[in-house]
Amino acid sequence: MHTRGGSSSRGQSGLGFGSRVSSLLLAMFAAMATIYVAGRLWQDAETRLHLVEELDKRSEQGKSAVSVDDTLKIIACREQQKRLSAVEMELAAARQAGFVSNKLGDKGDGHSKKRILVVIGIITTFGRKKNRDAIRKAWMPTGAALKKMEDEKGIVLRFVIGRSANRGDSLDREIDNENRQTNDFIVLDGQVEATEEQPKKSKLFFIHAVETWDAEFYAKVNDDVYVNIDALGATLSTHLDKPRSYIGCMKSGEVFSEPTHKWYEPDWWKFGDAKSYFRHASGEIYAISRALAQFISINRSLLRTYAHDDVSTGSWFIGLDVQHVDESKFCCSSWATGSICAAV
């Protein structure tokens, strides 16, 4: 009897010990779980505090009790608002440039300024002062008359030239001296004056012109062309209803792949087996609307040039919603050593 009773007592004692061990393990597990959860909550609290602080920095307001998700949404929303504001500014600029239909009206003060009709860049180079003087005598006003034409007819005329490869040499000084006397040059300081640089020079002219003058059209003319200014102005005025217009004597022509040829095109292989240029305005004289000049300015770094300036200009408008106007009055006929154009 005593033996059985002793065994029963030891068994109960063993069960009690096991129960205490289980309780201890459970307590340790609960403690560890509590520490883990507390740590996660602390991390979340630190993250929440960081986001709230960032929000306060952005909004310059006091602490606000918002959830992490709400904070992220607010931050994302404000980033979208910034992007929307930037897009609205770009849209306003595009509308002003003519990319978006927008009828310009009086601003409400009754004193809306009349836009210039056309800015004409006469492409010239070193050693052609005789050509420039002939133009000044024939069809380009000088001095006060030049300013009067701008004010009364809305026509701006400027010779366009780059800089010598040897910056500041006698060629540059001659142009600077001539310009001080006549004040009728656009000197493209960032453009080297060279025959192979003519396409880039024409592009830079359009960029400079559209960023300097707010005009309906921007025209490029060679310095051996005679232009009837009144006829040119009248012709352009008939195309004011075309916001994206490319106006000139439209032509195509053979692409020459022989390096020794005068009109050699290094990128001849890009024009297909027929070796024919796409339709473009002849380089003697052509005009583009404000929207297209703005397009050139905005995309200046993306627009490549070919061997000839007229082909280069035409290439920029392929694939765009542009109205090509084949204007016969811009087709030049031979006239002594130069050309005669624009409805004379």
Side-chain angles (χ1 to χ4, degrees):
M1 294 293 292
H2 290 288
T3 301
R4 287 195 299 270
S7 297
S8 175
S9 176
R10 284 194 298 271
Q12 291 175 358
S13 177
L15 290 173
F17 177 78
S19 177
R20 287 195 296 271
V21 170
S22 298
S23 298
L24 180 61
L25 290 175
L26 181 61
M28 290 177 63
F29 177 80
M32 292 176 65
T34 301
I35 293 172
Y36 174 78
V37 172
R40 291 300 304 271
L41 290 174
W42 178 259
Q43 290 179 349
D44 287 345
E46 286 186 325
T47 303
R48 184 192 299 269
L49 180 60
H50 174 71
L51 289 172
V52 171
E53 287 175 349
E54 289 297 316
L55 178 61
D56 289 338
K57 290 178 182 179
R58 291 172 178 267
S59 62
E60 296 182 356
Q61 296 176 353
K63 304 292 183 182
S64 58
V66 292
S67 68
V68 175
D69 289 340
D70 288 340
T71 301
L72 292 174
K73 288 178 182 178
I74 292 171
I75 292 174
C77 182
R78 289 182 179 174
E79 289 297 325
Q80 292 295 330
Q81 287 176 339
K82 290 180 181 179
R83 294 174 186 172
L84 180 59
S85 296
V87 170
E88 288 175 343
M89 292 177 64
E90 293 175 359
L91 180 61
R95 182 179 291 111
Q96 184 179 11
F99 285 99
V100 180
S101 178
N102 181 36
K103 294 185 178 180
L104 299 174
D106 190 84
K107 294 183 177 181
D109 56 5
H111 299 286
S112 58
K113 186 177 180 180
K114 183 179 179 181
R115 177 174 284 130
I116 293 171
L117 176 61
V118 59
V119 177
I120 302 173
I122 308 168
I123 306 299
T124 189
T125 189
F126 300 127
R128 296 181 68 88
K129 188 176 186 300
K130 290 183 178 180
N131 288 57
R132 295 191 291 272
D133 286 340
I135 288 175
R136 291 184 183 111
K137 290 179 180 179
W139 57 272
M140 179 178 180
T142 58
L146 186 64
K147 184 65 170 62
K148 184 178 180 182
M149 173 173 284
E150 296 177 13
D151 295 337
E152 295 184 356
K153 296 184 179 181
I155 298 176
V156 175
L157 289 162
R158 294 291 188 275
F159 289 106
V160 181
I161 197 167
R163 286 295 190 182
S164 170
N166 301 313
R167 186 66 180 267
D169 63 7
S170 60
L171 295 175
D172 279 348
R173 292 196 297 272
E174 288 175 3
I175 294 299
D176 290 338
N177 291 334
E178 184 179 347
N179 192 31
R180 275 192 289 270
Q181 297 174 6
T182 60
N183 194 29
D184 56 6
F185 276 88
I186 293 175
V187 180
L188 302 173
D189 288 326
Q191 176 62 52
V192 174
E193 188 61 40
T195 301
E196 63 273 15
E197 292 288 317
Q198 290 305 304
K200 295 180 181 178
K201 178 180 172 183
S202 295
K203 180 170 73 170
L204 197 56
F205 157 66
F206 287 122
I207 294 169
H208 174 87
V210 76
E211 292 180 351
T212 305
W213 291 280
D214 182 22
E216 299 288 355
F217 299 99
Y218 300 86
K220 175 259 179 182
V221 180
N222 288 342
D223 70 353
D224 58 353
V225 172
Y226 179 92
V227 177
N228 183 325
I229 288 294
D230 291 332
L232 174 62
T235 300
L236 291 176
S237 295
T238 64
H239 299 296
L240 287 173
D241 60 334
K242 305 176 183 69
R244 293 176 297 279
S245 55
Y246 172 38
I247 308 168
C249 183
M250 296 295 165
K251 67 172 187 177
S252 184
E254 182 180 356
V255 178
F256 296 98
S257 58
E258 299 78 19
T260 57
H261 196 280
K262 179 182 179 180
W263 305 115
Y264 169 60
E265 173 58 73
D267 288 315
W268 58 268
W269 60 275
K270 292 183 178 181
F271 296 92
D273 296 336
K275 292 185 180 179
S276 179
Y277 285 118
F278 41 77
R279 190 72 62 184
H280 61 278
S282 182
E284 288 84 4
I285 177 174
Y286 60 85
I288 61 176
S289 63
R290 182 176 67 260
L292 299 188
Q294 187 69 33
F295 172 82
I296 294 172
S297 177
I298 293 171
N299 298 282
R300 66 187 73 182
S301 62
L302 303 176
L303 300 177
R304 63 148 300 139
T305 55
Y306 293 96
H308 315 296
D309 73 279
D310 52 356
V311 173
S312 298
T313 302
S315 72
W316 301 333
F317 307 139
I318 292 178
L320 300 182
D321 183 16
V322 173
Q323 186 165 355
H324 288 60
V325 180
D326 187 9
E327 180 55 74
S328 62
K329 295 176 181 178
F330 279 34
C331 296
C332 300
S333 58
S334 177
W335 182 57
T337 58
S339 302
I340 184 167
C341 305
V344 294

